[in-house]
């Protein structure tokens, strides 16, 4: 009798399961998502809210954010997990990590997954300047998400106090030096209490800020294939010499190297009248500056321009077809015009598609915060961020050379000649 009852109960349960929707029977597709949190602002809450909203619309997909520290921490953790057999299925990593991820056979090309007409239209909708660090070898490997350019922030009150027009930031290298001299202040003891300009040069991003000098001087640092660099060209050396001269000759910038995090802090504390940093700092500065400030494009020498920067979505090869499809769906969802606008407004990063700037909320934001449009407009003259095969090794070589030049331990010419020689050695096998 007991056996009959159990059989009847099992049959009833089976019938009940068959009447459920398919997604209730099937376990949601789980996607581990590595995200770098050390990029400024209350990012984790914004990402958590985004994931919650996505999962409400897509209950058959579960996105599991794993907050992985800085960009450098994130790529290290992703590659360690890859070698250990447990990589994420989706990650936001630097656009410049593309060659490294390809060389490690870690990622799948986005165009191999985005096959429908709607997919292809979406993939063609991003600003081309951002796509320059997203494609190589005829394939697209990353999708622009939190992207930026370098911009100059300047304190309008300090401009007025120095007799400068607060609505006219320096447009050329010569004007930058002239303004910098007027904005640098010393106390009675000869100690500098206010610097004209600060350009960060310590840590991992010296090469990026350097491109805000090489690009306006008409120099490109690497080829599209990522297997050649041009670090010892005359225009590159000139740019490094100018950077060194800002402190050593013109005395308008602190000597030695300046840490990445020091720059916005000194700006907010009025210790620096002009600073160069990512447009991703815009929201932070807007919230914390107790003075009117302006945002401007990079000063020109031979042309305008900045490198692009920031992170792309990458989809990992080790995911199942279902996980890869789910990861693609999340990347598409997060970069729709409305959500790209939301992300830009919340963080200060540049909305990555022209369509995002056509949304009502973005039009309103651009009117209220015209500074936000500076980085977007600069995209017309922006170039790809420095990226090569063996990217971390080559970038460290260039960063070390720049720090040697800025501290005076080597001349800019010698530092960059040495960096070219070492980079050639590293890249030889990729020719």
């Amino acid at each position: 009798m007991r056996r009959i009852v159990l059989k009847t109960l099992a049959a009833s349960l089976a019938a009940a399961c068959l009447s459920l929707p398919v997604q209730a029977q099937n376990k949601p597709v789980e996607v581990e998502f590595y995200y770098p949190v050390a990029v400024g602002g209350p990012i984790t809450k914004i990402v958590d809210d985004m994931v919650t909203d996505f999962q409400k619309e897509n209950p058959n997909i579960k996105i599991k954010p794993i907050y992985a520290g800085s960009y450098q921490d994130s790529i290290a953790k992703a590659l360690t997990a890859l070698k250990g057999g447990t990589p994420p299925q989706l990650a936001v990593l630097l656009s410049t990590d593309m060659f490294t991820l390809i060389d490690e056979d870690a990622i799948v090309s986005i165009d191999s997954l985005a096959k429908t007409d709607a997919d292809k239209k979406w993939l063609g909708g991003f600003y081309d300047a951002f796509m320059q660090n997203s494609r190589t070898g005829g394939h697209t490997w990353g999708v622009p998400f939190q992207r930026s350019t370098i911009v100059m922030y300047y304190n309008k009150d300090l401009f007025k106090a120095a007799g400068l027009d607060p609505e006219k930031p320096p447009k050329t290298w010569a004007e930058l030096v002239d303004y910098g001299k007027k904005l640098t202040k010393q106390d009675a003891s000869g100690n500098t209490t206010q610097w004209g300009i600060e350009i960060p040069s310590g840590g991992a991003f010296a090469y990026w800020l350097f491109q805000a000098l090489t690009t306006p001087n008409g120099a490109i640092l690497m080829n599209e294939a990522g297997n050649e660099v041009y670090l010892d060209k005359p225009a590159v050396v000139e740019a490094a010499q100018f950077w060194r001269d800002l402190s050593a000759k013109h005395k308008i910038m602190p000597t030695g190297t300046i840490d990445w995090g020091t720059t916005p802090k000194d700006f907010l504390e009025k210790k620096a009248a002009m600073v160069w940093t990512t447009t991703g700092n815009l929201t932070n500065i807007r919230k914390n500056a107790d003075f009117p400030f302006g945002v401007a494009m990079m000063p020109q020498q031979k042309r305008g321009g900045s490198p692009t920067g920031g992170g792309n979505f990458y989809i990992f090869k080790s995911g199942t077809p279902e996980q890869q499809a789910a990861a693609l769906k999340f990347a598409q969802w997060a970069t729709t015009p409305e959500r790209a606008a939301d992300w830009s407004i919340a963080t200060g990063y540049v909305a990555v598609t022209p369509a995002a700037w056509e949304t009502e909320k973005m039009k309103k934001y651009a009117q209220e915060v015209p500074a936000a449009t500076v980085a977007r407009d600069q995209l017309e003259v922006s170039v790809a961020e420095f990226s090569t095969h063996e990217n971390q090794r080559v970038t460290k070589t260039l960063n070390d050379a720049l720090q040697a030049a800025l501290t005076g331990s080597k001349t800019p010419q010698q530092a960059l000649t040495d960096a070219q020689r070492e980079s050639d050695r590293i890249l030889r096998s990729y020719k």
Side-chain angles (χ1 to χ4, degrees), residues 334 336-346 351 356-357 359 361-362 365:
T336 58
E338 289 288 330
R339 291 180 195 94
D342 288 339
W343 181 258
S344 178
I345 292 164
W357 290 90
T359 61
K361 64 181 77 172
M362 205 66 196
Y365 177 63

Side-chain angles (χ1 to χ4, degrees), residues 9 18 20 77 135 148 194 206 215 217 261 350 368 386 398:
L9 184 59
L18 285 171
L20 287 170
K77 286 179 183 177
R135 60 188 178 222
S148 57
Q194 177 184 301
T215 305
N217 205 35
V350 185
E368 291 172 357
F386 185 73
L398 176 52

Side-chain angles (χ1 to χ4, degrees), residues 51-71:
V51 165
T52 300
D53 290 344
F54 173 78
Q55 288 177 168
K56 281 178 190 169
E57 294 179 31
N58 298 275
N60 58 331
I61 299 172
K62 180 173 172 52
I63 304 291
K64 184 181 174 188
I66 297 172
Y67 296 111
S70 68
Y71 278 122

